[in-house]
Amino acid sequence: MITLTSDFGSPYPAAMKGVIRRHTDAELIDVAHDLPRGDPRAAAFWLRFVLPEFPPAVHCAVIDPGVGTDRDALVVRAGAHVLVAPDNGLAMPPARALAGDESDVEAWTVAVDDPASETFHGRDVFAPTAARIRVALDDELSASDGDPDADAVAETLAGMEDLAPASDPVDVSFPEPSVERDEGSGEGAADGAAGDGDVTAVDGEVLAIDRFGNVITNVPGELVRGRDWVRVNGDLTPVAETFGAVDPGERLVTVGSHGYAECDVNDGRGDGAFDLRPGDAVRFVPDSVSL
Amino acid sequence: MITLTSDFGSPYPAAMKGVIRRHTDAELIDVAHDLPRGDPRAAAFWLRFVLPEFPPAVHCAVIDPGVGTDRDALVVRAGAHVLVAPDNGLAMPPARALAGDESDVEAWTVAVDDPASETFHGRDVFAPTAARIRVALDDELSASDGDPDADAVAETLAGMEDLAPASDPVDVSFPEPSVERDEGSGEGAADGAAGDGDVTAVDGEVLAIDRFGNVITNVPGELVRGRDWVRVNGDLTPVAETFGAVDPGERLVTVGSHGYAECDVNDGRGDGAFDLRPGDAVRFVPDSVSL
Amino acid sequence: MITLTSDFGSPYPAAMKGVIRRHTDAELIDVAHDLPRGDPRAAAFWLRFVLPEFPPAVHCAVIDPGVGTDRDALVVRAGAHVLVAPDNGLAMPPARALAGDESDVEAWTVAVDDPASETFHGRDVFAPTAARIRVALDDELSASDGDPDADAVAETLAGMEDLAPASDPVDVSFPEPSVERDEGSGEGAADGAAGDGDVTAVDGEVLAIDRFGNVITNVPGELVRGRDWVRVNGDLTPVAETFGAVDPGERLVTVGSHGYAECDVNDGRGDGAFDLRPGDAVRFVPDSVSL
């Protein structure tokens, strides 16, 4: 299986599929081709969320604002999964999520011959690389007659002549929110561990906006779950488990399926209502009335 | 085969595909993931139109405004087809269309263990249920070495321990238009049967708007087909078989591939030009000039 | 393999897939279903760009503003590829690109029985035709135990009873830009061959706009590549290999992966910034400062 992710819209991903089909009949599954344009961190966020649902696979992800520059093409092994992506950081957070253990992540750079275009390395570099790795893995797996495991994948990649160990792949990280407590712990970790003082404020950041305009923050869900109200950048907002708990058009804070607090509007767009964009600061203050 | 339908946009459906791939290699076909948000009736309309084109399959459809509430998860057998969907009515109209005969429709509720999330039952409930049913059907079919038939499907579902007969699944229906005739029959059925008086007016309703802004009503095509002009909520509009019969930007009434009268604009949007939304009333009056 | 292309949005293409699945389990790959509405020339442009990446396949492409009129349904062989499309020209440019040699392109019209709908020939005519051709090719190929080649494809199509040679299929062409030079050659071919005078102006046309608003012209990339500045309809614009060479929001001219000059905006939309639409004239004048 090869999964495909990009910000290309259509019909460009079909060109990648055609190229892959010249190498292998492996199944192709689209993750998304409408990710935020040229934003590796947003891609990392979504892939970290989605890819761990898959069994071991080759994942080709091309969000590539540096196409045509000298940024490397990267191959990352994460357990028995393989990511193929530009070296701009997008691959590392999902690789850590796929591997579970950071020690089970390895990165290589791909020796790239002069590609056919300056601007479409999805077709000219990443798709053929993903296809060749898929073929090599399938050859290895059919020879060993075994299930794919991390060792077999590592051995296969180590045997590919155009891969060289990556010395220092670009990484992106997601900021941790800053949590204020009213006694004892002061600013501290975001785990809200029992025994610390009550949370008086959380300063977080917007990680992503989804198709519905839901504003996904980096504030862990446990910091809002179970509360009735929270101030979001000063505005009193109900906390609810489901959209239907508020009237259509009304704002609410929920915990999304990724485990983070979201700023949403029932049957509307949270990004507009809360005036929030990716990277914006967002301060959550539990309202005293309800605490 | 498993078909997938939702209002999730991307990349959420990919998470469902990953989950399914942990159970089965069955083919996955997307029906749509951009259906109107949180609207089971619109989903029912489109699935009733599309699913009957497929050979017997498992259809997983998640338009789920009640996610996180205590609404049931439903499995519906319709002939040799199986639908997996929230119990909000969306499954029943397509089930009747797939079965042909209402007596060939059976519904079960799924015993759901505590799901991983409150808000993404597509991934945590419906995808794994569809996958387990697919696996059970494939086991049954490979054992019997026969083509899938309704009896084999019914037997397989009856043998699944986490399914219990549904006593009263939610249903949605599509309103019938009201037809006025100038003599004899008065208000009557929408079949426009010969021998009745001439149709003088039809009071219908907007069922759905498609990607192009075409306004799909519940008025059967035969009530407008063959006429030259019709008044739509008072405005004289040409009736045509094809968009090209009117100039770009001009309004027309056509009969869509679903058999209903549509209010359209050639190379434009009918919903804007006619100011119509789903659920709006729409009155068709054949124009006396042309009758 | 069958590729699918349309301007249908969703969920209409799923109905085509259902119909195909009643005939064959052949792999289905979506090229695009959001191509510009009713624009065969735009479809021809994109298919000419994408389809040559694929190994031999059946390509079903339905951009069909003439649906319901008496336009023919066309089957075109291009080498070992087969296109199934309405006879409105969209198939011919990609066919020439797939065949390499125009003598390796053959066209047939399809005898169409009364279709189920006036408006959805994608489902009622083109999908079943593509499926029947796929089945016939797979039968032929499995009998001959060979790789698909143009002769085997030609023989198979010639043996299908509902295909008749097309006498004069509709064609579309892409306009050649007009190139002015300052000495010797005057207006001439667009190949910018060495030895001609310097290019003083190129009068081209907008061929297509992509999802990002990039304005794709018919001006060959070699006429701008390597320059620093060019006037686009009078406005001085930097020429760059990559978007990142200019600040976000700034205009630039690049050479796209299709080899043509594009009018773009870094992290913005070129169609808005340059006020250009498909079919518009666009004049490129190398700026004297930088030559």
Side-chain angles (χ1 to χ4, degrees):
Chain A
M1 191 198 313
I2 300 174
T3 76
L4 297 168
T5 306
S6 76
D7 61 355
F8 292 158
S10 87
Y12 299 102
M16 296 174 65
K17 294 179 186 179
V19 167
I20 291 171
R21 274 291 167 273
R22 292 183 172 272
H23 291 79
T24 171
D25 288 330
E27 188 188 20
L28 303 174
I29 293 189
D30 293 309
V31 171
H33 294 290
D34 57 356
L35 290 188
R37 188 178 174 188
D39 185 345
R41 207 179 74 155
F45 173 82
W46 288 112
L47 293 176
R48 189 181 62 162
F49 173 61
V50 172
L51 296 188
E53 305 296 344
F54 281 88
V58 174
H59 306 286
C60 182
V62 192
I63 287 80
D64 193 12
V67 64
T69 68
D70 60 358
R71 66 101 190 82
D72 283 321
L74 210 65
V75 171
V76 182
R77 183 184 66 78
H81 291 261
V82 180
L83 294 107
V84 180
D87 182 19
N88 58 25
L90 84 85
M92 304 311 284
R96 284 187 287 267
L98 288 166
D101 177 353
E102 187 144 3
S103 70
D104 203 19
V105 173
E106 289 181 284
W108 290 264
T109 55
V110 186
V112 175
D113 292 335
D114 201 28
S117 73
E118 290 289 341
T119 55
F120 195 7
H121 287 189
R123 177 192 66 189
D124 299 334
V125 175
F126 297 103
T129 298
R132 287 185 304 104
I133 289 172
R134 183 72 268 167
V135 169
L137 289 173
D138 289 341
D139 287 350
E140 168 71 20
L141 295 172
S142 72
S144 70
D145 197 34
D147 280 341
D149 65 21
D151 288 344
V153 173
E155 194 174 332
T156 302
L157 294 174
M160 295 186 71
E161 292 191 354
D162 59 337
L163 300 188
S167 54
D168 190 20
V170 178
D171 202 349
V172 295
S173 61
F174 296 99
E176 289 292 319
S178 169
V179 181
E180 296 172 14
R181 298 174 189 279
D182 64 357
E183 60 185 43
S185 59
E187 289 205 6
D191 58 6
D196 290 339
D198 289 338
V199 172
T200 54
V202 185
D203 283 296
E205 183 177 321
V206 177
L207 294 180
I209 310 281
D210 76 9
R211 173 200 179 211
F212 301 126
N214 297 328
V215 176
I216 302 164
T217 74
N218 67 342
V219 174
E222 58 262 37
L223 290 175
V224 300
R225 194 179 277 127
R227 298 181 191 277
D228 292 320
W229 298 88
V230 67
R231 289 191 183 272
V232 179
N233 288 347
D235 291 329
L236 195 62
T237 308
V239 178
E241 288 194 355
T242 63
F243 281 70
V246 302
D247 287 335
E250 293 298 312
R251 310 189 318 165
L252 74 159
V253 166
T254 63
V255 180
S257 47
H258 29 65
Y260 293 107
E262 287 187 6
C263 303
D264 304 330
V265 169
N266 184 18
D267 202 17
R269 294 189 65 90
D271 54 351
F274 287 88
D275 193 22
L276 288 171
R277 305 287 172 270
D280 282 0
V282 57
R283 180 176 176 87
F284 285 73
V285 177
D287 191 72
S288 58
V289 173
S290 58
L291 286 181
Chain B
M1 190 197 316
I2 299 174
T3 77
L4 297 168
T5 305
S6 77
D7 60 355
F8 291 157
S10 86
Y12 300 102
M16 297 174 65
K17 294 178 187 180
V19 167
I20 291 171
R21 274 291 167 273
R22 292 184 172 271
H23 291 79
T24 170
D25 288 329
E27 187 187 22
L28 303 174
I29 294 188
D30 293 309
V31 170
H33 293 291
D34 59 354
L35 290 188
R37 186 177 175 189
D39 186 345
R41 207 179 75 156
F45 174 81
W46 288 112
L47 292 177
R48 189 180 65 162
F49 173 61
V50 171
L51 296 188
E53 305 296 344
F54 281 87
V58 174
H59 306 287
C60 182
V62 191
I63 287 82
D64 193 15
V67 65
T69 68
D70 61 357
R71 66 98 190 83
D72 284 320
L74 210 65
V75 171
V76 181
R77 183 185 65 79
H81 292 260
V82 179
L83 295 106
V84 180
D87 183 20
N88 59 24
L90 84 84
M92 303 312 284
R96 284 187 287 268
L98 287 166
D101 178 353
E102 187 144 3
S103 70
D104 204 17
V105 174
E106 288 181 285
W108 290 264
T109 55
V110 185
V112 176
D113 292 334
D114 201 28
S117 74
E118 290 289 341
T119 56
F120 194 7
H121 287 189
R123 177 192 65 188
D124 299 334
V125 175
F126 297 104
T129 298
R132 289 185 302 105
I133 290 173
R134 182 72 268 166
V135 170
L137 289 173
D138 288 341
D139 287 349
E140 166 73 19
L141 296 172
S142 71
S144 69
D145 196 35
D147 280 341
D149 66 19
D151 288 345
V153 173
E155 193 173 334
T156 302
L157 293 174
M160 295 185 71
E161 292 192 353
D162 59 336
L163 300 189
S167 55
D168 190 19
V170 178
D171 201 349
V172 294
S173 62
F174 297 99
E176 289 291 319
S178 168
V179 182
E180 297 173 12
R181 298 175 187 280
D182 64 357
E183 59 185 42
S185 59
E187 289 205 9
D191 59 4
D196 291 337
D198 289 336
V199 171
T200 54
V202 185
D203 282 297
E205 183 177 321
V206 176
L207 294 180
I209 310 282
D210 75 10
R211 174 199 176 209
F212 301 126
N214 297 327
V215 176
I216 302 166
T217 74
N218 66 342
V219 175
E222 58 262 36
L223 290 176
V224 299
R225 195 180 276 126
R227 299 182 191 277
D228 291 321
W229 297 89
V230 67
R231 287 190 184 275
V232 178
N233 288 347
D235 290 329
L236 195 62
T237 308
V239 179
E241 288 193 355
T242 64
F243 281 70
V246 302
D247 288 335
E250 294 297 313
R251 311 190 316 167
L252 73 159
V253 167
T254 63
V255 180
S257 47
H258 29 65
Y260 293 108
E262 286 186 6
C263 302
D264 304 330
V265 168
N266 185 18
D267 202 17
R269 293 189 66 90
D271 54 351
F274 288 88
D275 194 23
L276 288 170
R277 304 288 172 272
D280 283 358
V282 57
R283 180 175 175 89
F284 285 74
V285 177
D287 191 70
S288 59
V289 174
S290 58
L291 288 181
Chain C
M1 193 198 311
I2 300 175
T3 77
L4 297 168
T5 306
S6 76
D7 60 356
F8 291 157
S10 86
Y12 299 102
M16 296 174 65
K17 294 178 187 180
V19 167
I20 291 171
R21 274 292 167 272
R22 293 183 172 272
H23 291 79
T24 171
D25 288 328
E27 188 188 20
L28 303 175
I29 293 188
D30 292 309
V31 171
H33 294 290
D34 58 355
L35 290 187
R37 186 176 175 189
D39 185 345
R41 208 180 74 155
F45 174 81
W46 287 112
L47 292 176
R48 189 181 64 162
F49 173 62
V50 171
L51 296 188
E53 305 296 344
F54 281 88
V58 174
H59 306 286
C60 183
V62 191
I63 287 82
D64 193 14
V67 63
T69 68
D70 61 358
R71 66 99 190 84
D72 283 321
L74 209 65
V75 171
V76 182
R77 183 184 65 78
H81 291 261
V82 179
L83 295 106
V84 179
D87 183 18
N88 58 25
L90 84 84
M92 304 311 284
R96 285 187 288 268
L98 288 165
D101 177 353
E102 187 144 4
S103 70
D104 203 18
V105 173
E106 289 181 286
W108 290 265
T109 55
V110 185
V112 176
D113 292 334
D114 201 27
S117 74
E118 291 288 342
T119 55
F120 195 6
H121 287 189
R123 178 192 65 187
D124 299 334
V125 174
F126 297 104
T129 298
R132 289 185 302 105
I133 289 173
R134 183 70 268 167
V135 170
L137 288 172
D138 289 340
D139 288 349
E140 168 71 20
L141 295 172
S142 72
S144 70
D145 196 33
D147 280 342
D149 65 20
D151 288 346
V153 174
E155 194 173 332
T156 301
L157 293 174
M160 294 186 72
E161 291 192 354
D162 59 337
L163 300 188
S167 54
D168 189 19
V170 177
D171 202 349
V172 293
S173 62
F174 297 99
E176 289 292 319
S178 169
V179 181
E180 296 172 13
R181 297 176 187 278
D182 65 356
E183 60 185 42
S185 59
E187 290 205 7
D191 59 4
D196 290 338
D198 289 335
V199 171
T200 53
V202 185
D203 284 297
E205 184 177 321
V206 177
L207 294 181
I209 310 283
D210 75 10
R211 173 198 177 212
F212 302 126
N214 297 327
V215 176
I216 303 165
T217 74
N218 66 342
V219 174
E222 59 262 34
L223 290 175
V224 299
R225 193 179 278 127
R227 298 181 191 278
D228 292 319
W229 297 89
V230 68
R231 287 189 184 273
V232 178
N233 288 348
D235 290 329
L236 195 63
T237 309
V239 178
E241 287 193 356
T242 63
F243 280 70
V246 302
D247 288 334
E250 293 298 312
R251 309 190 319 166
L252 74 160
V253 166
T254 63
V255 179
S257 47
H258 29 64
Y260 293 106
E262 286 187 5
C263 301
D264 304 331
V265 168
N266 184 18
D267 201 18
R269 294 188 64 90
D271 54 351
F274 288 88
D275 194 22
L276 288 171
R277 304 287 172 273
D280 282 359
V282 57
R283 182 176 174 87
F284 285 74
V285 177
D287 191 71
S288 58
V289 174
S290 59
L291 286 181

